[in-house]
Structure formats: structure tokens, C-alpha cells
Amino acid sequence: MTDYGLDPRRVDPEYDRHGGFPVFEAAEPGPGFERFLAATRRLQDLAVSVNPDTATWEEAADDVEKLVALLEPHQAAEGVGPANRVPDLPGAGSLLMPPWHVTKFEPEGIELSVQFSRYHVGGNRAVHGGVLPLLFDSMFGMVIHATGRPISRTAFLHVDYRAITPIDVPLTATGWLREAEDRKAFVNADLRDADGKLLAEANGLMIRLLPGQP
């Protein structure tokens, strides 16, 4: 299993006084969760792209409501369910995240492979502009972990859109720590296509939590 997180207590003795994020262990929910994740991602694509007749919508709604009824009794607290805790799955097993895979995780920088789909389209088969800040913000957190800095929150995130981000093609995202000063960490990231063309780039400020801050 990919190790893409350091235990914050190793680098921050007062971590427990910061409030905020508990230490989440990697989960191993079994192959059923991977199948569920893949099927649900495909369902998201279909939900924003199909145009069936009324009867089919009714049948689909019945099936989804049955699935909700099946899963609802098993709701768990954050950090207990497997979502966002399975590093080997796309987006670490979180449907909130774009389906990325970590290909590099080092103090000098991180690298992700990511491929957007119909679910992420904002219009004209281009990835919605609001999806990219979500990707970059997630990357900023990974950069903080990769550099061994204590847990931090995003103070600001700025994105420049340089070209249309396409769907259904492999892309590469990279992130790195540009500068650090006390509680502040200035982070950069970019997104490129297979030919190296710059699609978007971001810069942001991550602030280490103080004791008692959530």
C-alpha cells in the first residue's frame, strides 16, 4: 500500500492540542468497496449524461432508494468509514475527490495522475473550473504531509487557468513547497497534459494550526 502520509505526532509534539484533524489510519475494506467506488463513479457520469424516458427514471430512482436504505444503517464517524482512507484507490477512496493516483510522494514534491470524466464537465466537454481548486487544495495538503510539516489548513488558494482541461485523457499534476516560514507554508501546483502543456497552475498559503484551533 502506498504510504503518502507521515504521522503528525512525529513532527509536532503538540499535535493533540491543535484540535482539528485526528490521525487516520489506512483502511482495508476489501474488494467490495473498490467495486462500489468504481460503479458509483460510473453512476455519477451517467447521472449527468443520460436522457431516458420517464419509466426508466422511475426505475432508476427505485433502485437508488433501495441502495440508500441498504447503506444508511451503516453510517460511521469520520475516520471510521473507508472513504478517503484507501491510498491505492482513485482519490484515496473518496467520491468527493477527482480520481487521482499518487505517483510520487517526496519532500521535494508530489505527483499525481488524474483523469477527469463526464461528471466533471462544466460545459463543452471541458472540466468545470470549480473542480480544479478542489484538486489543488487536496494536493496542498499532501505537500504539507510529504515535507513533514505539522497539520495545516488552507489560508488562500489562487488558480490561473491557462488552457481548457479536457476529460477522458490522462493528465499529470505536480505540487511542491515553495517557501516556509514559521507557521506559514507557501505551496505551488500545476496540471499538464500528456504533451506537457500547462492547463492550470495554483499557489496557496497553508497555516499550521495553533493549539485549540479546529
Side-chain angles (χ1 to χ4, degrees):
M1 180 172 289
T2 306
D3 179 8
Y4 69 91
L6 297 174
D7 184 340
R9 293 186 178 93
R10 298 178 187 174
V11 292
D12 181 7
E14 296 190 345
Y15 178 85
D16 289 323
R17 296 176 57 199
H18 292 170
F21 301 86
V23 177
F24 293 149
E25 301 294 335
E28 297 183 8
F33 180 67
E34 182 175 1
R35 290 176 53 213
F36 171 81
L37 195 70
T40 305
R41 286 195 185 278
R42 181 57 183 154
L43 179 61
Q44 289 177 322
D45 287 334
L46 293 173
V48 299
S49 62
V50 298
N51 186 31
D53 55 34
T54 299
T56 302
W57 278 126
E58 293 288 352
E59 183 178 354
D62 290 340
D63 288 341
V64 173
E65 288 171 356
K66 290 177 183 177
L67 180 60
V68 169
L70 173 67
L71 294 176
E72 200 158 26
H74 303 282
Q75 292 184 84
E78 182 184 7
V80 177
N84 205 37
R85 295 199 302 125
V86 189
D88 289 341
L89 293 183
S94 172
L95 290 168
L96 174 65
M97 294 294 115
W100 45 256
H101 289 274
V102 178
T103 54
K104 175 184 175 183
F105 192 88
E106 299 174 357
E108 294 74 27
I110 66 164
E111 181 179 278
L112 311 180
S113 63
V114 61
Q115 182 165 310
F116 299 99
S117 63
R118 180 68 183 271
Y119 177 68
H120 304 103
V121 167
N124 201 25
R125 294 187 62 80
V127 174
H128 192 292
V131 174
L132 298 187
L134 176 61
L135 171 67
F136 288 136
D137 194 31
S138 182
M139 292 178 65
F140 287 177
M142 294 182 201
V143 169
I144 292 299
H145 286 302
T147 56
R149 289 183 60 82
I151 199 71
S152 303
R153 280 196 181 272
T154 308
F156 72 75
L157 187 159
H158 176 86
V159 178
D160 289 307
Y161 301 89
R162 302 304 187 186
I164 296 299
T165 299
I167 64 170
D168 298 330
V169 296
L171 307 172
T172 300
T174 57
W176 63 95
L177 179 67
R178 185 178 78 251
E179 181 183 355
E181 178 184 346
D182 192 28
R183 295 175 56 212
K184 297 180 180 180
F186 295 91
V187 185
N188 283 57
D190 63 34
L191 179 68
R192 297 176 184 269
D193 67 13
D195 296 324
K197 179 181 179 180
L198 181 63
L199 305 175
E201 55 187 340
N203 65 83
L205 171 61
M206 304 293 286
I207 301 289
R208 175 176 61 82
L209 295 179
L210 290 173
Q213 285 187 312

